[in-house]
Amino acid sequence: MKVDVSIVTDKRLVGSTIITEGKDKGKELVPTSLYYEIDLKNTGEKRVGKEHPDKGIEIEIQPHIPLKNALEESVGFNVFNPDDNQDRSGLGYGFSSPSILEYNEQGNFTLNYDLGFKGSTNKEQASPLKASDQQLKKLEPQLLDGVLVVKQEKQVLAKFDMKTKKRIEK
């Protein structure tokens, strides 16, 4: 398993949003996001996942407390919790993944979590980035402080510590 993470503001990787009303109507904003690239290999004895959209391989990140606290301190909320009740207008997350990994096959997965929009002035349309460049730089060492969870149909298949890349639980 390999995990790389970076903080990006790149439309090719994380997309963009268009402001639909107000003085900035029509302006395109690209979010600043956490961008995780993950390589996983199926070392089991059978294929994992199915072609059906709801039955493919799913991955998620469960942050340890230091990462969760660092995010809340720098950007104001825990990006890994989509149910967070903070005002996150215009923010979201995305992923790409293969739905199936055959035995001994390796697949590339990506996860991205929006932190906010640089230069956003319309709070109703797009959340401004609260963290400064200095705060984001300070956040970087914490970004692998969590657990990568691999699931299929809500069932946990494996968990990995992202720093050590070691399997910690099935």
Side-chain angles (χ1 to χ4, degrees), residues 46 75 85 103:
K46 56 185 176 180
V75 296
N85 61 6
Y103 167 70

Side-chain angles (χ1 to χ4, degrees), residues 73-151:
E73 181 180 312
S74 61
V75 296
F77 59 94
N78 174 8
V79 299
F80 301 107
N81 182 3
D83 298 326
D84 194 341
N85 61 6
Q86 295 290 331
D87 176 22
R88 295 176 44 193
S89 176
L91 297 181
Y93 64 96
F95 66 93
S96 68
S97 66
S99 10
I100 296 172
L101 282 180
E102 298 291 345
Y103 167 70
N104 215 25
E105 182 180 27
Q106 185 169 313
N108 181 266
F109 299 75
T110 64
L111 289 168
N112 64 280
Y113 300 90
D114 296 346
L115 303 175
F117 297 91
K118 287 184 180 179
S120 174
T121 58
N122 188 341
K123 194 167 177 117
E124 289 77 40
Q125 289 294 318
S127 294
L129 181 62
K130 294 178 178 135
S132 67
D133 288 343
Q134 184 179 7
Q135 287 173 309
L136 292 177
K137 197 78 168 152
K138 188 176 173 185
L139 177 63
E140 284 179 353
Q142 315 293 328
L143 295 178
L144 291 176
D145 196 3
V147 174
L148 178 70
V149 181
V150 181
K151 297 180 181 181

Side-chain angles (χ1 to χ4, degrees), residues 16-35:
S16 65
T17 190
I18 305 287
I19 295 187
T20 58
E21 54 189 47
K23 69 179 176 82
D24 291 331
K25 183 177 180 176
K27 182 177 179 183
E28 181 178 35
L29 296 174
V30 178
T32 296
S33 301
L34 300 182
Y35 188 78

Side-chain angles (χ1 to χ4, degrees), residues 25-75:
K25 183 177 180 176
K27 182 177 179 183
E28 181 178 35
L29 296 174
V30 178
T32 296
S33 301
L34 300 182
Y35 188 78
Y36 289 85
E37 293 180 275
I38 301 151
D39 289 333
L40 291 176
K41 185 174 183 178
N42 179 0
T43 59
E45 296 183 12
K46 56 185 176 180
R47 90 194 262 181
V48 176
K50 297 181 181 174
E51 290 291 338
H52 190 278
D54 296 334
K55 298 183 181 186
I57 301 167
E58 302 170 45
I59 58 173
E60 69 180 43
I61 294 173
Q62 296 174 344
H64 291 311
I65 290 173
L67 174 54
K68 184 179 171 188
N69 289 344
L71 281 165
E72 288 175 353
E73 181 180 312
S74 61
V75 296

